Amino acid sequence: MTNFTPSAADKFSFGLWTVGNVGRDPFGEPVRAPISPVEIVHMLAEVGAWGVNFHDNDLVPIDATPQQRDKIVADFKKALDETGVVVPMATTNLFTDPAFRDGAFTSNDPDVRAYALQKTMNAIDLGAELGAETYVFWGGREGTETDAAKNPLDALKWFREALNFLSEYVMDHGYGLRFALEAKPNEPRGDIFPSTTGHMLAFIETLDHPEMVGVNPEMAHEHMAGLNFMHAVAQAYDAGKLFHIDLNDQNFARYDQDFRFGSHNIKQAFFLVKFLEDVGYDNPRHFDAHAYRTSDYEDVKAFARGCMRSYLVLKEKARQFREDKEIQALLAEIHGGESQVSKYSAEAAAQLKARQFDRVELGNRGKPYERLDQLVVDLILGVR
Ligand code: GLT
Ligand code: MN
Ligand code: MN
Protein backbone atom coordinates (compact mmCIF):
# COMPACT_ATOMS: atom_id res chain seq x y z
CA MET A 1 0.00 0.00 0.00
CA THR A 2 1.41 3.35 -1.05
CA ASN A 3 1.41 6.37 1.25
CA PHE A 4 0.08 8.56 -1.58
CA THR A 5 3.03 10.96 -1.56
CA PRO A 6 3.30 12.90 -4.83
CA SER A 7 6.51 12.65 -6.85
CA ALA A 8 7.88 14.46 -9.90
CA ALA A 9 6.88 11.48 -12.06
CA ASP A 10 3.21 12.27 -11.35
CA LYS A 11 3.65 15.64 -13.13
CA PHE A 12 1.24 17.39 -10.77
CA SER A 13 1.03 21.13 -11.43
CA PHE A 14 -0.97 24.13 -10.20
CA GLY A 15 -1.51 27.56 -11.71
CA LEU A 16 -0.38 30.67 -9.86
CA TRP A 17 -4.07 31.62 -10.03
CA THR A 18 -5.20 28.41 -8.28
CA VAL A 19 -3.43 28.27 -4.91
CA GLY A 20 -2.98 32.06 -5.19
CA ASN A 21 -6.74 32.59 -5.57
CA VAL A 22 -7.82 35.29 -3.13
CA GLY A 23 -11.45 34.20 -2.93
CA ARG A 24 -13.15 37.02 -4.85
CA ASP A 25 -16.52 36.09 -6.31
CA PRO A 26 -19.26 38.07 -8.08
CA PHE A 27 -20.87 38.79 -4.70
CA GLY A 28 -17.90 39.24 -2.40
CA GLU A 29 -14.53 40.86 -1.97
CA PRO A 30 -11.28 38.88 -1.57
CA VAL A 31 -10.96 36.96 1.70
CA ARG A 32 -7.24 36.12 1.45
CA ALA A 33 -4.39 38.63 1.08
CA PRO A 34 -2.54 38.22 -2.22
CA ILE A 35 0.69 36.21 -2.03
CA SER A 36 3.56 36.71 -4.46
CA PRO A 37 4.52 34.28 -7.24
CA VAL A 38 7.74 33.55 -5.31
CA GLU A 39 5.74 32.62 -2.19
CA ILE A 40 3.44 30.44 -4.29
CA VAL A 41 6.40 28.53 -5.76
CA HIS A 42 7.65 27.83 -2.23
CA MET A 43 4.17 26.74 -1.12
CA LEU A 44 3.90 24.35 -4.07
CA ALA A 45 7.29 22.89 -3.27
CA GLU A 46 6.20 22.43 0.35
CA VAL A 47 3.09 20.45 -0.60
CA GLY A 48 5.03 18.32 -3.11
CA ALA A 49 3.85 19.65 -6.48
CA TRP A 50 6.06 19.30 -9.55
CA GLY A 51 5.07 22.31 -11.65
CA VAL A 52 3.68 25.83 -11.66
CA ASN A 53 1.75 27.41 -14.53
CA PHE A 54 0.84 31.05 -15.07
CA HIS A 55 -0.93 33.64 -17.15
CA ASP A 56 1.39 36.48 -18.22
CA ASN A 57 -0.29 38.83 -15.73
CA ASP A 58 -0.28 36.35 -12.82
CA LEU A 59 3.47 36.87 -12.92
CA VAL A 60 4.02 40.28 -14.51
CA PRO A 61 1.33 42.94 -13.90
CA ILE A 62 -0.21 44.26 -17.12
CA ASP A 63 1.23 47.75 -16.52
CA ALA A 64 4.74 46.72 -15.38
CA THR A 65 7.72 48.53 -16.90
CA PRO A 66 10.36 46.44 -18.73
CA GLN A 67 12.69 46.89 -15.71
CA GLN A 68 9.99 45.67 -13.31
CA ARG A 69 9.31 42.71 -15.59
CA ASP A 70 12.97 41.67 -15.63
CA LYS A 71 13.22 41.89 -11.82
CA ILE A 72 10.02 39.84 -11.32
CA VAL A 73 11.19 37.18 -13.78
CA ALA A 74 14.64 36.99 -12.15
CA ASP A 75 13.09 36.55 -8.66
CA PHE A 76 10.70 33.91 -9.99
CA LYS A 77 13.54 31.99 -11.70
CA LYS A 78 15.49 32.08 -8.44
CA ALA A 79 12.52 30.53 -6.58
CA LEU A 80 12.26 27.83 -9.28
CA ASP A 81 15.98 27.07 -8.97
CA GLU A 82 15.82 26.93 -5.17
CA THR A 83 12.84 24.57 -5.09
CA GLY A 84 13.20 22.50 -8.27
CA VAL A 85 9.65 23.44 -9.28
CA VAL A 86 9.33 23.62 -13.10
CA VAL A 87 7.09 25.60 -15.50
CA PRO A 88 5.33 23.11 -17.79
CA MET A 89 2.65 25.44 -19.16
CA ALA A 90 1.99 29.14 -19.71
CA THR A 91 -0.97 31.08 -21.03
CA THR A 92 -2.27 34.59 -21.68
CA ASN A 93 -4.81 36.53 -19.69
CA LEU A 94 -7.18 37.65 -22.45
CA PHE A 95 -10.20 38.13 -20.21
CA THR A 96 -9.61 40.39 -17.17
CA ASP A 97 -8.78 43.73 -18.76
CA PRO A 98 -11.76 45.85 -19.94
CA ALA A 99 -10.15 45.94 -23.41
CA PHE A 100 -11.35 42.34 -23.77
CA ARG A 101 -14.97 43.02 -22.86
CA ASP A 102 -16.07 41.70 -26.28
CA GLY A 103 -13.42 39.01 -26.53
CA ALA A 104 -9.81 38.98 -27.66
CA PHE A 105 -9.13 37.07 -30.89
CA THR A 106 -12.85 37.24 -31.69
CA SER A 107 -13.63 40.77 -30.59
CA ASN A 108 -15.60 42.71 -33.18
CA ASP A 109 -12.95 45.43 -32.84
CA PRO A 110 -9.93 44.85 -35.12
CA ASP A 111 -7.70 46.94 -32.82
CA VAL A 112 -8.53 44.62 -29.91
CA ARG A 113 -7.84 41.56 -32.06
CA ALA A 114 -4.43 43.00 -32.97
CA TYR A 115 -3.70 43.89 -29.33
CA ALA A 116 -4.62 40.33 -28.28
CA LEU A 117 -2.11 38.94 -30.78
CA GLN A 118 0.60 41.31 -29.57
CA LYS A 119 -0.11 40.45 -25.91
CA THR A 120 0.01 36.74 -26.69
CA MET A 121 3.32 36.99 -28.56
CA ASN A 122 4.86 38.71 -25.53
CA ALA A 123 3.35 36.10 -23.21
CA ILE A 124 4.68 33.28 -25.40
CA ASP A 125 8.16 34.84 -25.15
CA LEU A 126 7.76 34.86 -21.35
CA GLY A 127 6.53 31.25 -21.22
CA ALA A 128 9.35 30.06 -23.48
CA GLU A 129 11.94 31.93 -21.39
CA LEU A 130 10.75 30.04 -18.31
CA GLY A 131 10.80 26.65 -20.02
CA ALA A 132 7.10 26.03 -20.77
CA GLU A 133 6.42 23.31 -23.34
CA THR A 134 2.65 23.75 -23.57
CA TYR A 135 0.80 26.98 -24.27
CA VAL A 136 -2.88 27.04 -23.31
CA PHE A 137 -5.61 29.08 -24.97
CA TRP A 138 -8.71 29.54 -22.86
CA GLY A 139 -11.00 32.05 -24.53
CA GLY A 140 -13.11 33.11 -21.58
CA ARG A 141 -14.38 36.24 -23.32
CA GLU A 142 -14.65 34.76 -26.81
CA GLY A 143 -18.39 34.64 -27.20
CA THR A 144 -21.67 36.50 -27.12
CA GLU A 145 -24.66 37.45 -25.06
CA THR A 146 -26.69 38.31 -28.13
CA ASP A 147 -26.29 36.59 -31.47
CA ALA A 148 -27.35 39.84 -33.11
CA ALA A 149 -23.87 41.18 -32.39
CA LYS A 150 -21.48 38.60 -33.75
CA ASN A 151 -21.48 36.06 -36.54
CA PRO A 152 -19.93 32.78 -35.33
CA LEU A 153 -18.43 32.25 -38.80
CA ASP A 154 -16.52 35.53 -38.43
CA ALA A 155 -15.44 34.53 -34.93
CA LEU A 156 -14.18 31.14 -36.10
CA LYS A 157 -12.30 32.81 -38.96
CA TRP A 158 -10.65 35.33 -36.62
CA PHE A 159 -9.76 32.65 -34.06
CA ARG A 160 -8.27 30.50 -36.84
CA GLU A 161 -6.25 33.42 -38.21
CA ALA A 162 -4.89 34.18 -34.73
CA LEU A 163 -3.83 30.58 -34.08
CA ASN A 164 -2.25 30.29 -37.54
CA PHE A 165 -0.34 33.52 -36.95
CA LEU A 166 0.86 32.38 -33.51
CA SER A 167 1.84 28.91 -34.76
CA GLU A 168 4.15 30.55 -37.29
CA TYR A 169 5.45 32.89 -34.59
CA VAL A 170 6.40 29.90 -32.40
CA MET A 171 8.06 28.07 -35.28
CA ASP A 172 9.89 31.21 -36.40
CA HIS A 173 11.41 31.52 -32.92
CA GLY A 174 12.20 27.80 -32.58
CA TYR A 175 10.30 27.64 -29.28
CA GLY A 176 9.05 24.06 -29.67
CA LEU A 177 5.84 24.92 -27.81
CA ARG A 178 2.63 23.04 -28.44
CA PHE A 179 -0.76 24.76 -28.18
CA ALA A 180 -3.62 23.31 -26.09
CA LEU A 181 -7.12 24.73 -26.62
CA GLU A 182 -9.43 24.77 -23.61
CA ALA A 183 -13.19 24.86 -24.06
CA LYS A 184 -15.93 26.08 -21.76
CA PRO A 185 -19.62 26.41 -22.65
CA ASN A 186 -20.37 29.71 -20.87
CA GLU A 187 -19.27 32.04 -18.05
CA PRO A 188 -18.13 34.72 -18.11
CA ARG A 189 -19.78 35.16 -21.54
CA GLY A 190 -23.39 34.13 -22.07
CA ASP A 191 -22.08 31.62 -24.62
CA ILE A 192 -18.42 30.92 -25.30
CA PHE A 193 -17.12 29.46 -28.55
CA PRO A 194 -15.90 26.85 -29.36
CA SER A 195 -17.82 25.44 -26.42
CA THR A 196 -16.68 21.88 -25.70
CA THR A 197 -13.60 19.71 -26.18
CA GLY A 198 -15.37 17.98 -29.06
CA HIS A 199 -15.92 21.31 -30.84
CA MET A 200 -12.24 22.15 -30.31
CA LEU A 201 -11.09 18.84 -31.80
CA ALA A 202 -13.07 19.48 -34.97
CA PHE A 203 -11.83 23.08 -35.18
CA ILE A 204 -8.16 22.05 -34.87
CA GLU A 205 -8.38 20.15 -38.15
CA THR A 206 -9.15 23.45 -39.94
CA LEU A 207 -5.86 25.06 -38.84
CA ASP A 208 -2.70 25.49 -40.93
CA HIS A 209 -0.58 23.53 -38.42
CA PRO A 210 -2.93 21.06 -36.72
CA GLU A 211 0.02 18.89 -35.65
CA MET A 212 1.11 21.47 -33.07
CA VAL A 213 -2.36 22.08 -31.65
CA GLY A 214 -4.17 19.85 -29.15
CA VAL A 215 -6.62 20.33 -26.31
CA ASN A 216 -6.65 21.04 -22.59
CA PRO A 217 -9.96 19.55 -21.42
CA GLU A 218 -11.22 20.69 -18.03
CA MET A 219 -13.43 18.43 -15.94
CA ALA A 220 -15.60 21.24 -14.56
CA HIS A 221 -16.21 22.71 -18.01
CA GLU A 222 -17.47 19.48 -19.56
CA HIS A 223 -19.61 18.88 -16.47
CA MET A 224 -21.13 22.36 -16.89
CA ALA A 225 -22.25 21.17 -20.33
CA GLY A 226 -23.66 17.99 -18.79
CA LEU A 227 -21.13 15.80 -20.59
CA ASN A 228 -19.11 12.75 -19.60
CA PHE A 229 -15.60 14.14 -19.08
CA MET A 230 -13.80 10.84 -19.45
CA HIS A 231 -15.42 10.32 -22.85
CA ALA A 232 -14.18 13.74 -24.00
CA VAL A 233 -10.70 12.94 -22.71
CA ALA A 234 -10.76 9.56 -24.45
CA GLN A 235 -11.72 11.13 -27.76
CA ALA A 236 -8.93 13.70 -27.41
CA TYR A 237 -6.46 10.94 -26.58
CA ASP A 238 -7.65 8.84 -29.53
CA ALA A 239 -7.00 11.82 -31.81
CA GLY A 240 -3.47 12.23 -30.39
CA LYS A 241 -4.54 15.60 -28.99
CA LEU A 242 -4.48 15.19 -25.20
CA PHE A 243 -1.59 17.63 -24.67
CA HIS A 244 -2.64 18.79 -21.19
CA ILE A 245 -5.50 18.32 -18.73
CA ASP A 246 -7.26 20.52 -16.16
CA LEU A 247 -8.34 18.39 -13.22
CA ASN A 248 -10.90 19.68 -10.75
CA ASP A 249 -14.48 18.91 -9.79
CA GLN A 250 -17.90 20.33 -10.28
CA ASN A 251 -21.51 19.75 -9.50
CA PHE A 252 -23.45 19.25 -12.75
CA ALA A 253 -25.51 22.12 -14.19
CA ARG A 254 -23.88 24.82 -12.05
CA TYR A 255 -21.49 27.71 -12.57
CA ASP A 256 -17.75 26.96 -12.89
CA GLN A 257 -17.07 25.76 -9.36
CA ASP A 258 -13.42 24.66 -9.81
CA PHE A 259 -13.58 22.46 -6.72
CA ARG A 260 -10.74 20.32 -5.38
CA PHE A 261 -10.15 17.27 -7.59
CA GLY A 262 -12.05 14.28 -6.22
CA SER A 263 -14.22 16.38 -3.93
CA HIS A 264 -17.55 15.80 -5.60
CA ASN A 265 -18.00 13.22 -8.34
CA ILE A 266 -15.79 10.45 -7.05
CA LYS A 267 -17.00 7.88 -9.53
CA GLN A 268 -16.33 10.09 -12.56
CA ALA A 269 -12.94 10.96 -11.08
CA PHE A 270 -12.16 7.26 -10.66
CA PHE A 271 -12.96 6.39 -14.27
CA LEU A 272 -10.98 9.39 -15.46
CA VAL A 273 -7.87 8.45 -13.45
CA LYS A 274 -8.28 4.84 -14.52
CA PHE A 275 -8.39 5.95 -18.17
CA LEU A 276 -5.30 8.16 -17.86
CA GLU A 277 -3.35 5.44 -16.07
CA ASP A 278 -4.50 2.64 -18.39
CA VAL A 279 -3.31 4.50 -21.50
CA GLY A 280 -0.11 5.73 -19.82
CA TYR A 281 -0.92 9.45 -20.16
CA ASP A 282 2.40 11.23 -19.68
CA ASN A 283 1.67 14.95 -20.07
CA PRO A 284 1.15 17.34 -17.13
CA ARG A 285 -1.69 16.75 -14.66
CA HIS A 286 -2.75 20.26 -13.84
CA PHE A 287 -5.16 21.00 -10.99
CA ASP A 288 -7.12 24.00 -12.21
CA ALA A 289 -9.08 24.44 -9.01
CA HIS A 290 -9.13 26.65 -5.98
CA ALA A 291 -9.86 26.29 -2.29
CA TYR A 292 -13.23 27.15 -0.82
CA ARG A 293 -13.69 30.84 -0.04
CA THR A 294 -13.81 29.84 3.62
CA SER A 295 -10.16 28.67 3.56
CA ASP A 296 -7.14 30.49 4.94
CA TYR A 297 -3.72 29.74 3.41
CA GLU A 298 -3.13 26.81 5.75
CA ASP A 299 -6.33 25.31 4.41
CA VAL A 300 -5.26 26.17 0.84
CA LYS A 301 -2.33 23.79 1.40
CA ALA A 302 -4.81 21.13 2.54
CA PHE A 303 -6.73 21.81 -0.68
CA ALA A 304 -3.61 21.34 -2.85
CA ARG A 305 -2.52 18.23 -0.99
CA GLY A 306 -6.06 16.88 -1.29
CA CYS A 307 -6.10 17.23 -5.10
CA MET A 308 -2.92 15.18 -5.43
CA ARG A 309 -3.84 12.68 -2.74
CA SER A 310 -7.22 11.90 -4.31
CA TYR A 311 -5.54 11.37 -7.69
CA LEU A 312 -3.04 8.94 -6.16
CA VAL A 313 -5.72 7.10 -4.15
CA LEU A 314 -7.78 6.68 -7.33
CA LYS A 315 -4.67 5.54 -9.20
CA GLU A 316 -4.25 2.83 -6.57
CA LYS A 317 -7.93 1.91 -6.96
CA ALA A 318 -7.39 1.62 -10.72
CA ARG A 319 -4.53 -0.79 -10.05
CA GLN A 320 -6.81 -2.84 -7.79
CA PHE A 321 -9.45 -2.85 -10.54
CA ARG A 322 -6.93 -4.31 -12.98
CA GLU A 323 -5.90 -7.00 -10.49
CA ASP A 324 -9.33 -7.88 -9.14
CA LYS A 325 -10.02 -11.44 -10.31
CA GLU A 326 -13.79 -11.21 -10.03
CA ILE A 327 -13.95 -7.92 -11.96
CA GLN A 328 -11.58 -9.19 -14.64
CA ALA A 329 -13.49 -12.47 -15.03
CA LEU A 330 -16.72 -10.54 -15.47
CA LEU A 331 -15.09 -8.26 -18.04
CA ALA A 332 -13.78 -11.25 -19.99
CA GLU A 333 -17.29 -12.73 -20.03
CA ILE A 334 -18.84 -9.42 -21.08
CA HIS A 335 -16.47 -8.77 -23.97
CA GLY A 336 -17.36 -12.01 -25.74
CA GLY A 337 -14.33 -12.44 -28.03
CA GLU A 338 -12.88 -10.71 -31.08
CA SER A 339 -14.82 -8.70 -33.65
CA GLN A 340 -16.03 -10.88 -36.53
CA VAL A 341 -16.30 -8.06 -39.03
CA SER A 342 -13.78 -5.31 -39.52
CA LYS A 343 -12.31 -4.63 -42.94
CA TYR A 344 -14.61 -4.45 -45.93
CA SER A 345 -14.32 -6.81 -48.88
CA ALA A 346 -17.02 -7.83 -51.34
CA GLU A 347 -16.65 -11.39 -50.07
CA ALA A 348 -16.94 -10.40 -46.38
CA ALA A 349 -20.04 -8.38 -47.22
CA ALA A 350 -21.59 -11.29 -49.13
CA GLN A 351 -20.85 -13.74 -46.32
CA LEU A 352 -22.32 -11.42 -43.74
CA LYS A 353 -25.46 -10.92 -45.81
CA ALA A 354 -25.88 -14.68 -46.08
CA ARG A 355 -25.48 -15.34 -42.36
CA GLN A 356 -28.55 -16.31 -40.31
CA PHE A 357 -28.92 -14.40 -37.04
CA ASP A 358 -31.26 -15.42 -34.23
CA ARG A 359 -32.41 -11.88 -33.45
CA VAL A 360 -34.66 -12.99 -30.59
CA GLU A 361 -31.82 -14.90 -28.95
CA LEU A 362 -29.53 -11.86 -29.33
CA GLY A 363 -32.16 -9.75 -27.63
CA ASN A 364 -32.38 -12.21 -24.75
CA ARG A 365 -28.71 -11.93 -23.87
CA GLY A 366 -28.40 -9.98 -20.63
CA LYS A 367 -25.30 -8.21 -19.41
CA PRO A 368 -24.20 -8.33 -15.75
CA TYR A 369 -23.44 -4.63 -15.56
CA GLU A 370 -25.27 -4.19 -12.24
CA ARG A 371 -22.99 -6.78 -10.65
CA LEU A 372 -19.93 -5.22 -12.24
CA ASP A 373 -20.83 -1.69 -11.25
CA GLN A 374 -21.49 -2.67 -7.64
CA LEU A 375 -18.06 -4.31 -7.50
CA VAL A 376 -16.60 -1.00 -8.66
CA VAL A 377 -18.64 0.92 -6.08
CA ASP A 378 -17.43 -1.45 -3.34
CA LEU A 379 -13.88 -0.98 -4.57
CA ILE A 380 -14.14 2.82 -4.53
CA LEU A 381 -15.81 2.78 -1.10
CA GLY A 382 -12.97 0.68 0.24
CA VAL A 383 -14.91 -2.42 1.25
CA ARG A 384 -13.31 -4.74 -1.32
C1 GLT B 1 -9.36 30.62 -15.63
C2 GLT B 1 -10.24 29.54 -16.19
C3 GLT B 1 -9.51 28.29 -16.39
C4 GLT B 1 -8.42 28.36 -17.39
C5 GLT B 1 -7.33 29.26 -17.00
C6 GLT B 1 -6.38 29.41 -18.16
S1 GLT B 1 -7.85 30.75 -16.35
O1 GLT B 1 -9.16 30.41 -14.27
O2 GLT B 1 -11.35 29.35 -15.33
O3 GLT B 1 -10.36 27.22 -16.69
O4 GLT B 1 -7.84 27.07 -17.50
O5 GLT B 1 -6.56 30.56 -18.86
MN1 MN C 1 -13.05 26.03 -14.49
MN1 MN D 1 -9.07 25.44 -16.84
Side-chain angles (χ1 to χ4, degrees):
M1 174 65 96
T2 146
N3 61 1
F4 309 122
T5 306
S7 74
D10 298 315
K11 297 193 176 172
F12 289 145
S13 64
F14 290 84
L16 286 179
W17 69 94
T18 65
V19 284
N21 182 287
V22 292
R24 180 187 292 111
D25 72 16
F27 303 94
E29 299 295 345
V31 291
R32 292 183 284 270
I35 49 173
S36 70
V38 167
E39 288 172 295
I40 294 175
V41 169
H42 284 279
M43 187 207 283
L44 290 177
E46 184 187 334
V47 299
W50 160 77
V52 61
N53 309 313
F54 57 82
H55 299 88
D56 49 354
N57 304 137
D58 298 337
L59 186 61
V60 181
I62 196 164
D63 47 8
T65 64
Q67 292 74 15
Q68 286 166 334
R69 176 208 191 267
D70 291 348
K71 167 90 174 77
I72 291 167
V73 172
D75 290 348
F76 190 66
K77 276 186 181 160
K78 187 161 163 278
L80 295 173
D81 288 345
E82 282 167 6
T83 56
V85 173
V86 300
V87 173
M89 175 273 257
T91 182
T92 330
N93 185 325
L94 295 172
F95 43 89
T96 300
D97 194 86
F100 302 121
R101 63 204 290 171
D102 186 35
F105 302 132
T106 70
S107 167
N108 270 326
D109 187 331
D111 289 331
V112 174
R113 299 200 297 274
Y115 173 57
L117 265 187
Q118 182 205 61
K119 191 173 193 290
T120 305
M121 285 191 287
N122 288 329
I124 285 175
D125 294 343
L126 178 65
E129 182 179 346
L130 287 160
E133 293 181 344
T134 307
Y135 202 85
V136 163
F137 291 82
W138 174 67
R141 298 278 175 200
E142 315 291 9
T144 59
E145 284 72 37
T146 168
D147 284 334
K150 205 178 285 183
N151 181 339
L153 290 179
D154 286 337
L156 287 168
K157 173 175 169 286
W158 293 329
F159 189 31
R160 182 179 302 117
E161 283 171 359
L163 287 170
N164 288 342
F165 185 99
L166 293 166
S167 298
E168 301 268 352
Y169 180 79
V170 163
M171 289 189 285
D172 208 15
H173 288 72
Y175 283 152
L177 277 171
R178 297 197 299 179
F179 293 169
L181 311 185
E182 178 177 345
K184 186 176 180 183
N186 59 275
E187 193 204 8
R189 294 311 293 265
D191 290 289
I192 296 176
F193 36 55
S195 54
T196 70
T197 297
H199 290 77
M200 286 296 187
L201 288 170
F203 174 72
I204 288 169
E205 297 309 315
T206 72
L207 298 173
D208 286 350
H209 300 282
E211 69 288 348
M212 65 181 282
V213 186
V215 290
N216 177 36
E218 173 172 317
M219 189 163 188
H221 298 175
E222 302 293 316
H223 283 189
M224 286 172 76
L227 298 175
N228 182 315
F229 183 57
M230 189 271 275
H231 291 188
V233 167
Q235 193 163 348
Y237 183 84
D238 183 62
K241 295 296 185 191
L242 190 61
F243 290 2
H244 201 265
I245 192 164
D246 274 3
L247 301 170
N248 55 13
D249 211 343
Q250 169 80 22
N251 218 330
F252 277 82
R254 301 213 177 166
Y255 68 96
D256 186 26
Q257 295 181 301
D258 289 335
F259 285 155
R260 190 180 77 255
F261 181 66
S263 63
H264 208 87
N265 295 289
I266 306 247
K267 203 169 170 187
Q268 283 90 339
F270 167 72
F271 284 116
L272 173 72
V273 171
K274 181 179 168 319
F275 176 83
L276 294 176
E277 297 303 317
D278 284 352
V279 299
Y281 172 78
D282 195 32
N283 290 325
R285 294 174 175 81
H286 173 224
F287 297 104
D288 187 13
H290 48 75
Y292 303 141
R293 192 163 179 268
T294 38
S295 298
D296 57 17
Y297 278 114
E298 220 22 65
D299 203 43
V300 169
K301 288 184 209 166
F303 147 83
R305 289 191 174 104
C307 287
M308 296 185 284
R309 180 177 173 83
S310 290
Y311 188 98
L312 293 174
V313 171
L314 293 171
K315 179 178 171 181
E316 167 62 14
K317 297 281 177 191
R319 191 193 62 74
Q320 288 173 19
F321 181 101
R322 279 193 299 275
E323 291 182 4
D324 189 302
K325 292 205 168 53
E326 198 177 346
I327 289 176
Q328 292 307 322
L330 259 184
L331 285 174
E333 180 189 326
I334 285 162
H335 286 140
E338 295 298 304
S339 295
Q340 297 156 9
V341 193
S342 50
K343 208 168 158 23
Y344 177 84
S345 69
E347 198 193 343
Q351 272 175 13
L352 186 56
K353 275 189 156 177
R355 187 169 156 186
Q356 297 292 320
F357 286 98
D358 184 344
R359 182 176 48 79
V360 175
E361 190 275 327
L362 289 178
N364 282 333
R365 294 182 188 177
K367 291 287 191 194
Y369 293 168
E370 290 286 3
R371 240 176 88 204
L372 176 65
D373 190 71
Q374 188 60 42
L375 290 174
V376 175
V377 169
D378 281 3
L379 184 83
I380 296 172
L381 293 180
V383 295
R384 255 190 99 63

